[in-house]
Amino acid sequence: LIPQELSEALLGHSEGFRSYFSMCSTRRSSVGYSGVVTYSRIPPIAVEEGVTGVLVRENRDGTKTRIGGKFSEAAFEDWTRVEMKQVDSEGRCMITDHGAFVLFNVYIPAITVDPEEDREKYEKRIEFKGKFLEAVKIRTNAVRKAGREVILLGDLNVSISKIDVAWNAVDPKNSSRRWLYELMSDNDLIDTYRYFHPRRRQYTQWSQVTGARANNYGSRIDMILGSCGLVKRHSDDAGIKDKIKGSDHCPTYLDVVEDAIVKNEDGTPPECRYSARFSGQKRIHSFFCSSSSSLPLGDEPEQRDPKQTPETLEPRRPSSSQEWICSVCTLINKASSVRCEVCTQPNRKRPNTKGRKERQVSLDAYVRPSRTSTCSVLSESSGHTRAEAGSSTVPKGEANGVEDEKLPLRTNEEARSSWRRMLTGKGPPAPKCKVHQLECLLRTVLKKGSNRGKKFYVCRLPNGAAGQKGARCDFFCWATVTGKPILEDDPSIPNR
């Protein structure tokens, strides 16, 4: 996911689609940490950002209209406003009403914090995930009580059964898996992929660190759950497009009959293309000229004659007081004479660069200690020239009684040691695994503990099932700091 500040306008203006985003708004240290988006060719009847409804805009009479009616309004009566805002602060849910069904687009949190590394942070993430799962369950129950059909989809970060993982083992006591079982049984939801393909083995996520996708050693954690009646009456097929690459996940789909979706062109909810976050940049030309002010949420942008192009518009000429044009405008907009805001500033003059020499740093500066500036301001009556503060040069002779000393040249040994510090060079050869006789990969232990920072060698093939052709073997050996392998065959080296 790309950060909100750097989101390109094309995401909010995707041709042929209506788009509805929800983005993380609290984790400033992890920009672009989480978020979901729903694209729809047919405008939905209603849209809600978040799962609790706290982000829904109020009507003119001060009330809020939520998908699911009075059941959704009463669902979070026991929750405080702070708790609801916290659950919806990471952009993990977008709810859209499409007439025949209500779509929940969710991104379930994954616990990636090591409890041994940061116990406090680990407990906070566990608490947040539990709150979010509870909120999704409460809201889904409320919409189902209102008599609506439901489709819940997204990265659930949990698999249902052992057929959905390559290693044929799941923990039924896992809290996320228990939540998923209860959610499906309480709301009569079924796994659409497994409904159409009961015995097929396909996965949607693979580890990029171990290269497990090469051997299809993954898990199916991206799912589309649907109401039993909806899937049986209005669905044709479901599947996984595992041939599409570009991420550690792949797309999954459900074909729904288009006639079942209500088309409502009147009173459609505001789209992302009318949002302030996406109404700024629309083309690369806006980098070099002033852009119009961002539109507020819900306001439609000004329509312009499609026959008018930037070349036919009246170009903005630089002011008469301007004496120079920046190199960017000269190269980019030479034909149209359109100037950027920097060029059109009043009284903008070209800086005087005559007699100024560009100082080029030599390679010797990287291996030789810099000389401390010993500048000083001399009195004009002494006949000496005045030295500027910050200069790295000192006039010849004496300055305030201090003689200029020349730095001694470096010896060959000093130069060699400097280069050794910068260029470690190629380390010792890696050992070969005993099964495939291939050079191993050097890795480092990142987990907190007594072995953190230590280096070790493993088989270079991607991860896979035991005994699978082309899969990684169980070769392992520790290495020294410089990368020299510590083989178990050596009797002088203790076992791992």
Side-chain angles (χ1 to χ4, degrees):
L1 183 72
I2 63 177
Q4 176 176 347
E5 293 83 356
L6 303 178
S7 297
E8 297 182 9
L10 290 177
L11 291 177
H13 297 260
S14 185
E15 185 177 358
F17 288 91
R18 308 294 178 96
S19 53
Y20 307 94
F21 283 76
S22 181
M23 296 182 179
C24 180
S25 59
T26 59
R27 299 185 55 141
R28 299 295 182 184
S29 59
S30 302
V31 181
Y33 172 74
S34 57
V36 295
V37 57
T38 299
Y39 290 96
S40 176
R41 291 188 182 274
I42 301 175
I45 298 173
V47 173
E48 283 189 30
E49 181 181 3
V51 63
T52 64
V54 70
L55 302 179
V56 177
R57 289 189 170 189
E58 293 184 352
N59 302 324
R60 293 182 179 181
D61 57 357
T63 61
K64 291 184 177 181
T65 304
R66 300 181 182 177
I67 300 174
K70 60 180 182 180
F71 298 97
S72 295
E73 293 172 4
F76 297 94
E77 287 182 344
D78 299 335
W79 289 45
T80 64
R81 186 175 178 84
V82 175
E83 288 176 330
M84 291 190 290
K85 278 192 171 183
Q86 183 183 7
V87 166
D88 288 334
S89 63
E90 294 190 1
R92 293 184 177 273
C93 182
M94 180 66 71
I95 307 175
T96 50
D97 186 354
H98 298 272
F101 58 88
V102 176
L103 180 70
F104 285 78
N105 184 358
V106 299
Y107 175 27
I108 304 300
I111 306 302
T112 57
V113 182
D114 189 350
E116 296 181 1
E117 250 183 67
D118 194 337
R119 187 71 189 180
E120 183 179 356
K121 187 176 180 181
Y122 172 78
E123 292 177 353
K124 285 183 178 180
R125 295 307 295 171
I126 287 288
E127 182 182 359
F128 174 82
K129 182 174 182 177
K131 278 285 186 183
F132 184 81
L133 294 180
E134 182 184 357
V136 172
K137 185 178 178 181
I138 291 174
R139 189 62 188 275
T140 308
N141 292 343
V143 175
R144 290 291 286 158
K145 285 180 182 179
R148 304 297 307 276
E149 303 286 359
V150 167
I151 292 180
L152 189 145
L153 54 83
D155 182 0
L156 304 186
N157 268 312
V158 64
S159 55
I160 296 180
S161 60
K162 62 181 183 180
I163 195 176
D164 299 316
V165 293
W167 43 94
N168 292 319
V170 295
D171 181 12
K173 298 182 180 180
N174 180 279
S175 59
S176 298
R177 190 166 287 108
R178 289 203 309 268
W179 165 83
L180 184 58
Y181 292 159
E182 294 175 2
L183 179 72
M184 296 175 67
S185 61
D186 294 347
N187 298 284
D188 195 24
L189 301 180
I190 61 175
D191 180 7
T192 58
Y193 176 81
R194 196 56 66 200
Y195 174 77
F196 288 101
H197 311 286
R199 298 184 180 277
R200 182 183 296 180
R201 277 186 176 268
Q202 277 185 291
Y203 309 119
T204 63
Q205 190 272 338
W206 304 265
S207 172
Q208 287 186 316
V209 177
T210 60
R213 191 164 188 174
N215 293 319
N216 196 27
Y217 194 74
S219 59
R220 190 173 68 91
I221 59 177
D222 303 89
M223 304 181 202
I224 302 178
L225 309 179
S227 304
C228 186
L230 173 70
V231 175
K232 291 180 179 179
R233 290 195 304 268
H234 300 298
S235 301
D236 293 335
D237 187 25
I240 297 173
K241 297 187 176 183
D242 51 5
K243 302 300 181 183
I244 298 179
K245 298 183 179 180
S247 168
D248 59 334
H249 292 253
C250 73
T252 180
Y253 67 90
L254 171 68
D255 288 336
V256 179
V257 180
E258 186 176 351
D259 296 339
I261 303 176
V262 175
K263 300 180 180 180
N264 184 8
E265 295 291 347
D266 299 328
T268 56
E271 304 172 53
C272 282
R273 59 175 174 166
Y274 301 147
S275 174
R277 70 177 65 154
F278 293 105
S279 60
Q281 175 191 336
K282 296 181 179 61
R283 56 181 63 87
I284 196 171
H285 176 72
S286 60
F287 277 113
F288 309 106
C289 65
S290 60
S291 58
S292 57
S293 59
S294 299
L295 298 174
L297 184 64
D299 293 341
E300 187 169 354
E302 180 183 356
Q303 299 294 329
R304 198 175 67 185
D305 186 2
K307 295 182 180 179
Q308 271 191 321
T309 61
E311 288 74 11
T312 60
L313 294 175
E314 181 69 21
R316 185 176 61 182
R317 301 289 180 179
S319 61
S320 57
S321 60
Q322 178 182 324
E323 294 187 3
W324 67 289
I325 300 173
C326 71
S327 58
V328 175
C329 289
T330 304
L331 295 176
I332 303 298
N333 301 312
K334 190 173 182 180
S336 61
S337 300
V338 178
R339 304 295 176 235
C340 67
E341 288 184 340
V342 177
C343 289
T344 55
Q345 289 179 0
N347 302 324
R348 181 71 172 174
K349 295 184 179 181
R350 184 172 183 174
N352 183 17
T353 57
K354 287 186 178 181
R356 184 182 300 177
K357 295 182 179 180
E358 294 293 334
R359 186 176 179 185
Q360 181 176 355
V361 180
S362 62
L363 186 63
D364 186 58
Y366 291 97
V367 294
R368 184 174 180 175
S370 60
R371 185 175 181 179
T372 307
S373 175
T374 58
C375 307
S376 60
V377 179
L378 305 178
S379 61
E380 294 180 357
S381 59
S382 62
H384 294 282
T385 58
R386 185 181 299 271
E388 295 179 358
S391 173
S392 61
T393 60
V394 179
K396 290 184 179 181
E398 296 183 0
N400 285 351
V402 180
E403 294 186 359
D404 183 21
E405 298 180 359
K406 293 184 178 180
L407 290 176
L409 297 177
R410 284 206 163 194
T411 62
N412 292 339
E413 185 60 32
E414 291 175 340
R416 278 195 292 268
S417 62
S418 299
W419 281 109
R420 287 195 195 101
R421 285 196 297 269
M422 291 187 296
L423 305 175
T424 57
K426 188 177 180 181
K432 295 183 178 180
C433 63
K434 298 179 180 179
V435 177
H436 307 99
Q437 291 299 312
L438 299 174
E439 284 193 1
C440 296
L441 293 177
L442 181 64
R443 299 192 180 277
T444 306
V445 178
L446 301 179
K447 188 176 181 179
K448 190 175 181 180
S450 59
N451 291 327
R452 185 168 186 173
K454 288 186 178 182
K455 298 179 183 296
F456 62 94
Y457 284 99
V458 293
C459 179
R460 70 182 305 108
L461 293 181
N463 200 8
Q468 181 181 356
K469 186 177 181 181
R472 173 180 298 176
C473 62
D474 59 353
F475 178 84
F476 175 92
C477 76
W478 289 109
T480 60
V481 178
T482 59
K484 184 178 180 180
I486 303 176
L487 301 176
E488 294 183 356
D489 299 339
D490 189 350
S492 63
I493 302 299
N495 295 332
R496 56 173 179 169

